[in-house]
Short mmCIF file of all heavy atoms in Angstrom, two decimals:
data_model
loop_
_atom_site.label_atom_id
_atom_site.label_comp_id
_atom_site.label_asym_id
_atom_site.label_seq_id
_atom_site.Cartn_x
_atom_site.Cartn_y
_atom_site.Cartn_z
N MET A 1 -37.06 88.07 80.25
CA MET A 1 -36.46 87.05 79.45
C MET A 1 -36.83 85.70 80.02
O MET A 1 -36.75 85.46 81.20
CB MET A 1 -34.91 87.23 79.45
CG MET A 1 -34.21 86.11 78.71
SD MET A 1 -32.42 86.24 78.72
CE MET A 1 -32.20 87.72 77.79
N SER A 2 -37.22 84.80 79.14
CA SER A 2 -37.61 83.46 79.56
C SER A 2 -36.38 82.56 79.70
O SER A 2 -35.48 82.63 78.89
CB SER A 2 -38.57 82.88 78.52
OG SER A 2 -38.86 81.55 78.84
N HIS A 3 -36.38 81.76 80.74
CA HIS A 3 -35.24 80.86 80.98
C HIS A 3 -35.63 79.39 80.82
O HIS A 3 -34.91 78.52 81.24
CB HIS A 3 -34.66 81.07 82.38
CG HIS A 3 -34.03 82.40 82.53
ND1 HIS A 3 -32.85 82.74 81.95
CD2 HIS A 3 -34.44 83.52 83.18
CE1 HIS A 3 -32.53 83.99 82.23
NE2 HIS A 3 -33.49 84.49 82.97
N HIS A 4 -36.81 79.15 80.19
CA HIS A 4 -37.19 77.76 80.01
C HIS A 4 -36.67 77.23 78.68
O HIS A 4 -36.39 77.97 77.75
CB HIS A 4 -38.71 77.60 80.09
CG HIS A 4 -39.44 78.28 78.97
ND1 HIS A 4 -39.59 77.72 77.72
CD2 HIS A 4 -40.03 79.48 78.90
CE1 HIS A 4 -40.26 78.53 76.96
NE2 HIS A 4 -40.53 79.61 77.63
N LEU A 5 -36.53 75.91 78.61
CA LEU A 5 -36.05 75.27 77.40
C LEU A 5 -37.19 75.13 76.40
O LEU A 5 -38.34 74.96 76.78
CB LEU A 5 -35.47 73.88 77.69
CG LEU A 5 -34.23 73.88 78.56
CD1 LEU A 5 -33.84 72.44 78.89
CD2 LEU A 5 -33.09 74.57 77.88
N CYS A 6 -36.86 75.15 75.11
CA CYS A 6 -37.86 74.97 74.08
C CYS A 6 -38.33 73.52 74.07
O CYS A 6 -37.65 72.63 74.55
CB CYS A 6 -37.26 75.31 72.72
SG CYS A 6 -36.80 77.01 72.56
N ASP A 7 -39.51 73.32 73.51
CA ASP A 7 -40.06 71.97 73.37
C ASP A 7 -39.19 71.16 72.41
O ASP A 7 -39.06 71.49 71.23
CB ASP A 7 -41.49 72.06 72.84
CG ASP A 7 -42.16 70.71 72.71
OD1 ASP A 7 -41.54 69.69 73.07
OD2 ASP A 7 -43.31 70.70 72.24
N ALA A 8 -38.56 70.10 72.91
CA ALA A 8 -37.66 69.30 72.11
C ALA A 8 -38.36 68.54 71.00
O ALA A 8 -37.75 68.10 70.03
CB ALA A 8 -36.90 68.33 72.99
N THR A 9 -39.68 68.42 71.11
CA THR A 9 -40.44 67.68 70.08
C THR A 9 -40.96 68.59 68.99
O THR A 9 -41.61 68.13 68.06
CB THR A 9 -41.63 66.93 70.72
OG1 THR A 9 -42.50 67.90 71.32
CG2 THR A 9 -41.15 65.94 71.76
N LYS A 10 -40.73 69.88 69.10
CA LYS A 10 -41.22 70.84 68.13
C LYS A 10 -40.60 70.60 66.76
O LYS A 10 -39.40 70.38 66.66
CB LYS A 10 -40.89 72.27 68.60
CG LYS A 10 -41.45 73.34 67.71
CD LYS A 10 -41.13 74.71 68.27
CE LYS A 10 -41.62 75.79 67.33
NZ LYS A 10 -41.27 77.12 67.81
N MET A 11 -41.42 70.61 65.73
CA MET A 11 -40.95 70.37 64.36
C MET A 11 -40.04 71.50 63.92
O MET A 11 -40.37 72.66 64.06
CB MET A 11 -42.16 70.24 63.43
CG MET A 11 -41.79 70.00 62.01
SD MET A 11 -41.04 68.39 61.84
CE MET A 11 -40.93 68.29 60.09
N ILE A 12 -38.90 71.14 63.38
CA ILE A 12 -37.96 72.11 62.83
C ILE A 12 -38.01 72.01 61.33
O ILE A 12 -38.00 70.91 60.77
CB ILE A 12 -36.54 71.85 63.35
CG1 ILE A 12 -36.50 72.02 64.87
CG2 ILE A 12 -35.54 72.78 62.70
CD1 ILE A 12 -35.18 71.66 65.49
N SER A 13 -38.07 73.14 60.67
CA SER A 13 -38.18 73.17 59.21
C SER A 13 -36.96 72.50 58.58
O SER A 13 -35.84 72.66 59.04
CB SER A 13 -38.27 74.62 58.74
OG SER A 13 -38.20 74.66 57.35
N LYS A 14 -37.21 71.81 57.47
CA LYS A 14 -36.11 71.17 56.74
C LYS A 14 -35.39 72.18 55.86
O LYS A 14 -34.28 71.91 55.37
CB LYS A 14 -36.64 70.01 55.90
CG LYS A 14 -37.09 68.84 56.72
CD LYS A 14 -37.54 67.69 55.83
CE LYS A 14 -37.96 66.54 56.71
NZ LYS A 14 -38.32 65.35 55.91
N THR A 15 -36.00 73.33 55.64
CA THR A 15 -35.36 74.36 54.81
C THR A 15 -35.03 75.56 55.69
O THR A 15 -35.83 75.99 56.51
CB THR A 15 -36.26 74.82 53.67
OG1 THR A 15 -37.50 75.32 54.20
CG2 THR A 15 -36.57 73.69 52.71
N PRO A 16 -33.84 76.10 55.55
CA PRO A 16 -33.45 77.26 56.34
C PRO A 16 -34.37 78.47 56.06
O PRO A 16 -34.90 78.61 54.97
CB PRO A 16 -32.02 77.56 55.89
CG PRO A 16 -31.57 76.35 55.18
CD PRO A 16 -32.79 75.66 54.65
N ARG A 17 -34.49 79.31 57.07
CA ARG A 17 -35.31 80.52 56.89
C ARG A 17 -34.76 81.40 55.77
O ARG A 17 -35.49 82.12 55.14
CB ARG A 17 -35.38 81.31 58.20
CG ARG A 17 -36.21 80.63 59.23
CD ARG A 17 -36.39 81.47 60.45
NE ARG A 17 -35.11 81.59 61.14
CZ ARG A 17 -34.82 82.55 62.00
NH1 ARG A 17 -35.68 83.48 62.28
NH2 ARG A 17 -33.67 82.57 62.59
N THR A 18 -33.45 81.33 55.56
CA THR A 18 -32.86 82.15 54.49
C THR A 18 -33.38 81.76 53.12
O THR A 18 -33.43 82.60 52.22
CB THR A 18 -31.32 82.04 54.50
OG1 THR A 18 -30.95 80.66 54.47
CG2 THR A 18 -30.72 82.68 55.73
N ASP A 19 -33.80 80.51 52.95
CA ASP A 19 -34.35 80.08 51.66
C ASP A 19 -35.66 80.76 51.34
O ASP A 19 -36.04 80.86 50.18
CB ASP A 19 -34.54 78.57 51.63
CG ASP A 19 -33.23 77.80 51.56
OD1 ASP A 19 -32.17 78.43 51.43
OD2 ASP A 19 -33.29 76.57 51.66
N ARG A 20 -36.37 81.21 52.34
CA ARG A 20 -37.69 81.86 52.13
C ARG A 20 -37.57 83.38 52.04
O ARG A 20 -38.58 84.06 51.92
CB ARG A 20 -38.63 81.48 53.26
CG ARG A 20 -38.94 79.98 53.30
CD ARG A 20 -40.04 79.66 54.30
NE ARG A 20 -39.79 80.17 55.64
CZ ARG A 20 -39.26 79.48 56.66
NH1 ARG A 20 -38.92 78.23 56.46
NH2 ARG A 20 -39.09 80.03 57.83
N GLN A 21 -36.37 83.90 52.14
CA GLN A 21 -36.17 85.35 52.14
C GLN A 21 -35.87 85.86 50.73
O GLN A 21 -35.24 85.18 49.95
CB GLN A 21 -35.01 85.74 53.05
CG GLN A 21 -35.31 85.54 54.51
CD GLN A 21 -36.43 86.40 54.99
OE1 GLN A 21 -36.45 87.60 54.75
NE2 GLN A 21 -37.37 85.80 55.68
N PRO A 22 -36.31 87.10 50.44
CA PRO A 22 -35.90 87.69 49.17
C PRO A 22 -34.39 87.91 49.16
O PRO A 22 -33.79 88.13 50.22
CB PRO A 22 -36.64 89.04 49.13
CG PRO A 22 -37.21 89.25 50.48
CD PRO A 22 -37.16 87.96 51.23
N VAL A 23 -33.78 87.84 48.02
CA VAL A 23 -32.34 87.97 47.92
C VAL A 23 -31.98 89.16 47.06
O VAL A 23 -32.74 89.61 46.24
CB VAL A 23 -31.67 86.68 47.35
CG1 VAL A 23 -31.85 85.53 48.29
CG2 VAL A 23 -32.19 86.37 45.98
N VAL A 24 -30.76 89.64 47.27
CA VAL A 24 -30.16 90.68 46.45
C VAL A 24 -29.02 90.00 45.69
O VAL A 24 -28.21 89.30 46.29
CB VAL A 24 -29.61 91.83 47.34
CG1 VAL A 24 -28.90 92.88 46.50
CG2 VAL A 24 -30.72 92.42 48.17
N THR A 25 -28.99 90.18 44.39
CA THR A 25 -27.93 89.57 43.59
C THR A 25 -26.91 90.62 43.20
O THR A 25 -27.25 91.65 42.65
CB THR A 25 -28.53 88.92 42.32
OG1 THR A 25 -29.51 87.96 42.73
CG2 THR A 25 -27.45 88.20 41.51
N VAL A 26 -25.64 90.33 43.50
CA VAL A 26 -24.54 91.22 43.16
C VAL A 26 -23.43 90.35 42.57
O VAL A 26 -22.97 89.40 43.23
CB VAL A 26 -24.01 91.98 44.41
CG1 VAL A 26 -22.82 92.85 44.05
CG2 VAL A 26 -25.12 92.81 45.06
N ALA A 27 -23.02 90.66 41.37
CA ALA A 27 -21.93 89.94 40.71
C ALA A 27 -22.16 88.43 40.78
O ALA A 27 -21.27 87.66 41.17
CB ALA A 27 -20.59 90.32 41.31
N PHE A 28 -23.37 88.01 40.43
CA PHE A 28 -23.76 86.59 40.38
C PHE A 28 -23.77 85.92 41.76
O PHE A 28 -23.86 84.70 41.85
CB PHE A 28 -22.87 85.80 39.42
CG PHE A 28 -22.88 86.35 38.03
CD1 PHE A 28 -21.77 87.05 37.55
CD2 PHE A 28 -23.98 86.20 37.22
CE1 PHE A 28 -21.77 87.57 36.27
CE2 PHE A 28 -23.99 86.73 35.92
CZ PHE A 28 -22.89 87.40 35.45
N GLN A 29 -23.69 86.67 42.83
CA GLN A 29 -23.76 86.15 44.17
C GLN A 29 -25.09 86.61 44.78
O GLN A 29 -25.50 87.74 44.57
CB GLN A 29 -22.61 86.67 45.05
CG GLN A 29 -21.25 86.33 44.52
CD GLN A 29 -20.62 85.20 45.32
OE1 GLN A 29 -21.03 84.94 46.43
NE2 GLN A 29 -19.63 84.54 44.75
N GLN A 30 -25.74 85.76 45.54
CA GLN A 30 -27.01 86.09 46.16
C GLN A 30 -26.83 86.29 47.67
O GLN A 30 -26.13 85.52 48.33
CB GLN A 30 -28.07 85.01 45.92
CG GLN A 30 -28.46 84.94 44.46
CD GLN A 30 -29.61 83.95 44.27
OE1 GLN A 30 -29.75 82.98 45.00
NE2 GLN A 30 -30.42 84.23 43.26
N PHE A 31 -27.46 87.36 48.17
CA PHE A 31 -27.36 87.70 49.57
C PHE A 31 -28.75 87.97 50.14
O PHE A 31 -29.59 88.52 49.42
CB PHE A 31 -26.51 88.98 49.79
CG PHE A 31 -25.12 88.86 49.23
CD1 PHE A 31 -24.82 89.26 47.94
CD2 PHE A 31 -24.09 88.33 50.00
CE1 PHE A 31 -23.55 89.16 47.43
CE2 PHE A 31 -22.81 88.23 49.51
CZ PHE A 31 -22.53 88.63 48.22
N VAL A 32 -28.98 87.61 51.40
CA VAL A 32 -30.22 88.04 52.06
C VAL A 32 -30.06 89.49 52.47
O VAL A 32 -28.94 90.00 52.57
CB VAL A 32 -30.58 87.16 53.28
CG1 VAL A 32 -30.86 85.75 52.87
CG2 VAL A 32 -29.49 87.22 54.33
N LYS A 33 -31.16 90.15 52.71
CA LYS A 33 -31.10 91.57 53.09
C LYS A 33 -30.45 91.71 54.47
O LYS A 33 -30.51 90.83 55.32
CB LYS A 33 -32.49 92.16 53.07
CG LYS A 33 -33.04 92.22 51.65
CD LYS A 33 -34.32 92.97 51.57
CE LYS A 33 -34.74 93.05 50.11
NZ LYS A 33 -35.90 93.90 49.92
N ALA A 34 -29.85 92.86 54.67
CA ALA A 34 -29.07 93.12 55.89
C ALA A 34 -29.93 93.03 57.15
O ALA A 34 -29.46 92.49 58.16
CB ALA A 34 -28.41 94.49 55.81
N GLY A 35 -31.14 93.49 57.11
CA GLY A 35 -32.00 93.44 58.29
C GLY A 35 -32.25 92.01 58.76
O GLY A 35 -32.24 91.72 59.95
N PHE A 36 -32.47 91.11 57.79
CA PHE A 36 -32.69 89.70 58.15
C PHE A 36 -31.40 89.10 58.69
O PHE A 36 -31.43 88.34 59.66
CB PHE A 36 -33.19 88.93 56.93
CG PHE A 36 -33.43 87.48 57.22
CD1 PHE A 36 -34.50 87.10 58.02
CD2 PHE A 36 -32.60 86.51 56.70
CE1 PHE A 36 -34.75 85.75 58.30
CE2 PHE A 36 -32.85 85.16 56.97
CZ PHE A 36 -33.91 84.80 57.76
N ALA A 37 -30.28 89.42 58.07
CA ALA A 37 -28.98 88.90 58.53
C ALA A 37 -28.71 89.36 59.97
O ALA A 37 -28.23 88.59 60.82
CB ALA A 37 -27.86 89.33 57.60
N ARG A 38 -29.05 90.62 60.27
CA ARG A 38 -28.86 91.14 61.63
C ARG A 38 -29.76 90.40 62.62
O ARG A 38 -29.34 90.12 63.74
CB ARG A 38 -29.16 92.64 61.66
CG ARG A 38 -28.10 93.48 61.00
CD ARG A 38 -28.38 94.98 61.17
NE ARG A 38 -27.50 95.74 60.32
CZ ARG A 38 -27.88 96.37 59.20
NH1 ARG A 38 -29.14 96.33 58.83
NH2 ARG A 38 -27.00 97.03 58.49
N GLN A 39 -30.99 90.12 62.20
CA GLN A 39 -31.91 89.37 63.06
C GLN A 39 -31.32 88.01 63.39
O GLN A 39 -31.32 87.58 64.56
CB GLN A 39 -33.26 89.20 62.37
CG GLN A 39 -34.24 88.37 63.15
CD GLN A 39 -35.50 88.06 62.35
OE1 GLN A 39 -35.56 88.26 61.15
NE2 GLN A 39 -36.50 87.55 63.02
N LEU A 40 -30.78 87.31 62.39
CA LEU A 40 -30.16 86.01 62.65
C LEU A 40 -28.98 86.12 63.60
O LEU A 40 -28.80 85.28 64.48
CB LEU A 40 -29.72 85.38 61.31
CG LEU A 40 -30.81 84.96 60.36
CD1 LEU A 40 -30.18 84.45 59.07
CD2 LEU A 40 -31.71 83.92 60.98
N GLU A 41 -28.17 87.17 63.44
CA GLU A 41 -27.02 87.37 64.32
C GLU A 41 -27.46 87.60 65.76
O GLU A 41 -26.87 87.06 66.70
CB GLU A 41 -26.17 88.56 63.84
CG GLU A 41 -25.41 88.29 62.56
CD GLU A 41 -24.27 87.32 62.76
OE1 GLU A 41 -23.69 87.26 63.87
OE2 GLU A 41 -23.95 86.59 61.82
N ARG A 42 -28.51 88.39 65.96
CA ARG A 42 -29.02 88.64 67.32
C ARG A 42 -29.56 87.35 67.94
O ARG A 42 -29.29 87.05 69.10
CB ARG A 42 -30.15 89.71 67.28
CG ARG A 42 -29.65 91.10 67.10
CD ARG A 42 -30.75 92.13 67.32
NE ARG A 42 -31.86 91.97 66.41
CZ ARG A 42 -31.98 92.52 65.21
NH1 ARG A 42 -31.02 93.31 64.75
NH2 ARG A 42 -33.05 92.31 64.47
N GLN A 43 -30.27 86.55 67.14
CA GLN A 43 -30.81 85.31 67.66
C GLN A 43 -29.69 84.32 67.98
O GLN A 43 -29.75 83.61 68.99
CB GLN A 43 -31.78 84.70 66.67
CG GLN A 43 -33.05 85.51 66.55
CD GLN A 43 -33.96 85.05 65.44
OE1 GLN A 43 -33.55 84.33 64.53
NE2 GLN A 43 -35.21 85.46 65.49
N LEU A 44 -28.66 84.29 67.16
CA LEU A 44 -27.52 83.40 67.42
C LEU A 44 -26.80 83.82 68.69
O LEU A 44 -26.47 82.99 69.54
CB LEU A 44 -26.55 83.43 66.24
CG LEU A 44 -25.27 82.59 66.41
CD1 LEU A 44 -25.59 81.13 66.60
CD2 LEU A 44 -24.37 82.80 65.19
N ARG A 45 -26.59 85.15 68.87
CA ARG A 45 -25.94 85.63 70.07
C ARG A 45 -26.76 85.26 71.31
O ARG A 45 -26.24 84.80 72.33
CB ARG A 45 -25.73 87.14 70.00
CG ARG A 45 -24.98 87.68 71.22
CD ARG A 45 -24.72 89.18 71.15
NE ARG A 45 -25.98 89.92 71.06
CZ ARG A 45 -26.32 90.72 70.04
NH1 ARG A 45 -25.49 90.90 69.04
NH2 ARG A 45 -27.48 91.34 70.02
N GLY A 46 -28.07 85.42 71.23
CA GLY A 46 -28.95 85.07 72.35
C GLY A 46 -28.89 83.58 72.66
O GLY A 46 -28.85 83.19 73.83
N ALA A 47 -28.88 82.75 71.63
CA ALA A 47 -28.80 81.31 71.83
C ALA A 47 -27.46 80.92 72.47
O ALA A 47 -27.41 80.09 73.38
CB ALA A 47 -28.98 80.57 70.51
N ASN A 48 -26.37 81.54 72.02
CA ASN A 48 -25.05 81.26 72.59
C ASN A 48 -24.97 81.68 74.05
O ASN A 48 -24.37 80.99 74.87
CB ASN A 48 -23.95 81.91 71.78
CG ASN A 48 -23.71 81.18 70.45
OD1 ASN A 48 -23.96 79.98 70.34
ND2 ASN A 48 -23.24 81.91 69.46
N GLU A 49 -25.57 82.84 74.38
CA GLU A 49 -25.58 83.28 75.78
C GLU A 49 -26.38 82.30 76.64
O GLU A 49 -25.98 81.99 77.76
CB GLU A 49 -26.16 84.68 75.87
CG GLU A 49 -25.23 85.75 75.31
CD GLU A 49 -25.88 87.13 75.23
OE1 GLU A 49 -27.08 87.26 75.57
OE2 GLU A 49 -25.19 88.06 74.79
N LYS A 50 -27.49 81.82 76.11
CA LYS A 50 -28.31 80.85 76.87
C LYS A 50 -27.53 79.56 77.08
O LYS A 50 -27.58 78.98 78.19
CB LYS A 50 -29.60 80.57 76.10
CG LYS A 50 -30.56 79.67 76.84
CD LYS A 50 -31.88 79.55 76.12
CE LYS A 50 -32.86 78.74 76.92
NZ LYS A 50 -34.19 78.72 76.30
N ILE A 51 -26.81 79.11 76.08
CA ILE A 51 -26.00 77.91 76.23
C ILE A 51 -24.98 78.09 77.33
O ILE A 51 -24.77 77.20 78.17
CB ILE A 51 -25.32 77.54 74.89
CG1 ILE A 51 -26.38 77.03 73.89
CG2 ILE A 51 -24.21 76.52 75.08
CD1 ILE A 51 -25.86 76.92 72.48
N LYS A 52 -24.31 79.25 77.35
CA LYS A 52 -23.31 79.51 78.41
C LYS A 52 -23.95 79.49 79.79
O LYS A 52 -23.38 78.91 80.73
CB LYS A 52 -22.62 80.86 78.18
CG LYS A 52 -21.66 80.83 77.03
CD LYS A 52 -20.99 82.18 76.84
CE LYS A 52 -20.10 82.17 75.61
NZ LYS A 52 -19.49 83.49 75.39
N ARG A 53 -25.14 80.10 79.94
CA ARG A 53 -25.83 80.10 81.23
C ARG A 53 -26.18 78.68 81.65
O ARG A 53 -26.00 78.30 82.82
CB ARG A 53 -27.10 80.95 81.18
CG ARG A 53 -26.88 82.43 81.21
CD ARG A 53 -28.18 83.19 81.50
NE ARG A 53 -29.29 82.78 80.69
CZ ARG A 53 -29.62 83.25 79.49
NH1 ARG A 53 -28.87 84.19 78.93
NH2 ARG A 53 -30.68 82.81 78.83
N LEU A 54 -26.67 77.89 80.71
CA LEU A 54 -27.05 76.51 81.03
C LEU A 54 -25.83 75.67 81.40
O LEU A 54 -25.89 74.83 82.32
CB LEU A 54 -27.79 75.88 79.86
CG LEU A 54 -29.20 76.47 79.59
CD1 LEU A 54 -29.76 75.91 78.29
CD2 LEU A 54 -30.12 76.18 80.74
N GLU A 55 -24.70 75.91 80.71
CA GLU A 55 -23.48 75.18 81.05
C GLU A 55 -23.02 75.52 82.47
O GLU A 55 -22.55 74.66 83.21
CB GLU A 55 -22.38 75.46 80.01
CG GLU A 55 -22.64 74.79 78.69
CD GLU A 55 -21.65 75.17 77.60
OE1 GLU A 55 -20.99 76.24 77.70
OE2 GLU A 55 -21.55 74.42 76.62
N LEU A 56 -23.13 76.79 82.85
CA LEU A 56 -22.79 77.18 84.21
C LEU A 56 -23.69 76.51 85.23
O LEU A 56 -23.23 76.07 86.29
CB LEU A 56 -22.86 78.70 84.37
CG LEU A 56 -21.73 79.51 83.73
CD1 LEU A 56 -22.03 81.01 83.82
CD2 LEU A 56 -20.41 79.19 84.41
N GLN A 57 -24.98 76.42 84.92
CA GLN A 57 -25.91 75.76 85.83
C GLN A 57 -25.59 74.28 85.96
O GLN A 57 -25.67 73.71 87.05
CB GLN A 57 -27.35 75.96 85.36
CG GLN A 57 -27.84 77.38 85.54
CD GLN A 57 -29.26 77.58 85.03
OE1 GLN A 57 -29.78 76.78 84.27
NE2 GLN A 57 -29.88 78.66 85.46
N ILE A 58 -25.20 73.66 84.86
CA ILE A 58 -24.80 72.25 84.90
C ILE A 58 -23.60 72.08 85.81
O ILE A 58 -23.54 71.16 86.63
CB ILE A 58 -24.51 71.72 83.47
CG1 ILE A 58 -25.81 71.59 82.69
CG2 ILE A 58 -23.78 70.39 83.53
CD1 ILE A 58 -25.60 71.31 81.21
N ASP A 59 -22.60 72.96 85.68
CA ASP A 59 -21.42 72.90 86.54
C ASP A 59 -21.80 73.08 88.00
O ASP A 59 -21.29 72.36 88.87
CB ASP A 59 -20.40 73.97 86.12
CG ASP A 59 -19.75 73.68 84.79
OD1 ASP A 59 -19.84 72.53 84.30
OD2 ASP A 59 -19.17 74.63 84.19
N GLU A 60 -22.69 74.04 88.28
CA GLU A 60 -23.10 74.29 89.66
C GLU A 60 -23.84 73.07 90.22
O GLU A 60 -23.63 72.69 91.37
CB GLU A 60 -23.99 75.52 89.73
CG GLU A 60 -23.24 76.81 89.47
CD GLU A 60 -24.16 78.01 89.35
OE1 GLU A 60 -25.40 77.84 89.44
OE2 GLU A 60 -23.65 79.12 89.15
N LEU A 61 -24.69 72.45 89.42
CA LEU A 61 -25.40 71.26 89.88
C LEU A 61 -24.44 70.09 90.11
O LEU A 61 -24.60 69.32 91.06
CB LEU A 61 -26.48 70.87 88.88
CG LEU A 61 -27.70 71.79 88.81
CD1 LEU A 61 -28.60 71.40 87.66
CD2 LEU A 61 -28.45 71.78 90.13
N GLY A 62 -23.44 69.97 89.24
CA GLY A 62 -22.43 68.95 89.44
C GLY A 62 -21.68 69.14 90.75
O GLY A 62 -21.41 68.18 91.48
N ASP A 63 -21.33 70.39 91.04
CA ASP A 63 -20.65 70.70 92.32
C ASP A 63 -21.55 70.36 93.49
O ASP A 63 -21.08 69.84 94.52
CB ASP A 63 -20.24 72.16 92.37
CG ASP A 63 -19.14 72.50 91.38
OD1 ASP A 63 -18.47 71.58 90.87
OD2 ASP A 63 -18.95 73.72 91.09
N LEU A 64 -22.83 70.66 93.38
CA LEU A 64 -23.78 70.37 94.44
C LEU A 64 -23.89 68.86 94.68
O LEU A 64 -23.90 68.39 95.81
CB LEU A 64 -25.15 70.96 94.13
CG LEU A 64 -26.25 70.74 95.15
CD1 LEU A 64 -25.87 71.32 96.49
CD2 LEU A 64 -27.56 71.31 94.66
N VAL A 65 -23.96 68.10 93.59
CA VAL A 65 -24.02 66.64 93.70
C VAL A 65 -22.78 66.11 94.41
O VAL A 65 -22.88 65.27 95.34
CB VAL A 65 -24.18 65.97 92.32
CG1 VAL A 65 -23.93 64.49 92.37
CG2 VAL A 65 -25.55 66.29 91.73
N LYS A 66 -21.61 66.61 94.04
CA LYS A 66 -20.37 66.16 94.70
C LYS A 66 -20.40 66.49 96.17
O LYS A 66 -19.99 65.71 97.01
CB LYS A 66 -19.16 66.80 94.03
CG LYS A 66 -18.86 66.26 92.66
CD LYS A 66 -17.67 66.99 92.05
CE LYS A 66 -17.45 66.56 90.62
NZ LYS A 66 -16.37 67.34 89.97
N TRP A 67 -20.89 67.68 96.50
CA TRP A 67 -20.95 68.10 97.89
C TRP A 67 -21.91 67.22 98.69
O TRP A 67 -21.60 66.77 99.80
CB TRP A 67 -21.37 69.56 97.98
CG TRP A 67 -21.45 70.07 99.39
CD1 TRP A 67 -20.41 70.49 100.16
CD2 TRP A 67 -22.62 70.20 100.19
NE1 TRP A 67 -20.87 70.86 101.40
CE2 TRP A 67 -22.24 70.71 101.44
CE3 TRP A 67 -23.97 69.94 99.96
CZ2 TRP A 67 -23.16 70.95 102.46
CZ3 TRP A 67 -24.88 70.20 100.99
CH2 TRP A 67 -24.47 70.68 102.20
N LEU A 68 -23.09 66.92 98.07
CA LEU A 68 -24.06 66.08 98.74
C LEU A 68 -23.56 64.65 98.93
O LEU A 68 -23.83 64.02 99.94
CB LEU A 68 -25.38 66.08 97.97
CG LEU A 68 -26.20 67.38 98.01
CD1 LEU A 68 -27.34 67.32 97.04
CD2 LEU A 68 -26.67 67.67 99.42
N GLU A 69 -22.84 64.15 97.94
CA GLU A 69 -22.29 62.80 98.08
C GLU A 69 -21.21 62.71 99.13
O GLU A 69 -21.03 61.66 99.74
CB GLU A 69 -21.73 62.33 96.71
CG GLU A 69 -22.81 62.06 95.69
CD GLU A 69 -22.24 61.78 94.30
OE1 GLU A 69 -21.07 62.07 94.03
OE2 GLU A 69 -23.02 61.25 93.48
N GLY A 70 -20.53 63.82 99.39
CA GLY A 70 -19.46 63.85 100.38
C GLY A 70 -19.94 64.04 101.78
O GLY A 70 -19.16 63.96 102.73
N ARG A 71 -21.21 64.27 102.00
CA ARG A 71 -21.75 64.51 103.35
C ARG A 71 -21.74 63.29 104.17
O ARG A 71 -21.85 62.21 103.89
CB ARG A 71 -23.17 65.05 103.27
CG ARG A 71 -23.20 66.46 102.78
CD ARG A 71 -24.60 66.97 102.65
NE ARG A 71 -25.19 67.14 103.96
CZ ARG A 71 -26.42 67.54 104.16
NH1 ARG A 71 -27.19 67.78 103.15
NH2 ARG A 71 -26.88 67.68 105.37
#
């Protein structure tokens, strides 16, 4: 697993990936297919876990700075 940050200058699409997916229509409602929805859920979970790890690292670095300043 990579722990590096993404390129902040990378172009992000103006249209969501769901707009490019085939849809299933049920009772006048449109849905993306389950496999794609599951992929999005896995990616969201991974991003949230990465955010938590980074927040912990920020806290640890803050504690280190406080310790170094107190020396």
Side-chain angles (χ1 to χ4, degrees):
M1 175 182 295
S2 175
H3 292 289
H4 65 82
L5 295 175
C6 296
D7 182 3
T9 62
K10 184 177 176 183
M11 179 67 173
I12 297 174
S13 172
K14 291 184 179 184
T15 58
R17 289 186 291 159
T18 53
D19 288 354
R20 296 188 307 262
Q21 291 297 311
V23 295
V24 176
T25 303
V26 178
F28 303 106
Q29 301 256 341
Q30 292 186 331
F31 302 92
V32 295
K33 293 188 177 186
F36 180 71
R38 287 185 190 107
Q39 176 188 12
L40 292 176
E41 289 289 330
R42 285 190 300 272
Q43 291 172 343
L44 177 61
R45 183 179 60 240
N48 285 333
E49 289 172 358
K50 184 174 184 174
I51 289 168
K52 286 180 184 178
R53 283 194 313 272
L54 291 171
E55 287 173 340
L56 286 173
Q57 288 178 343
I58 289 170
D59 291 343
E60 290 171 359
L61 289 172
D63 292 343
L64 179 60
V65 167
K66 288 178 186 176
W67 181 81
L68 289 171
E69 289 173 343
R71 288 177 70 182

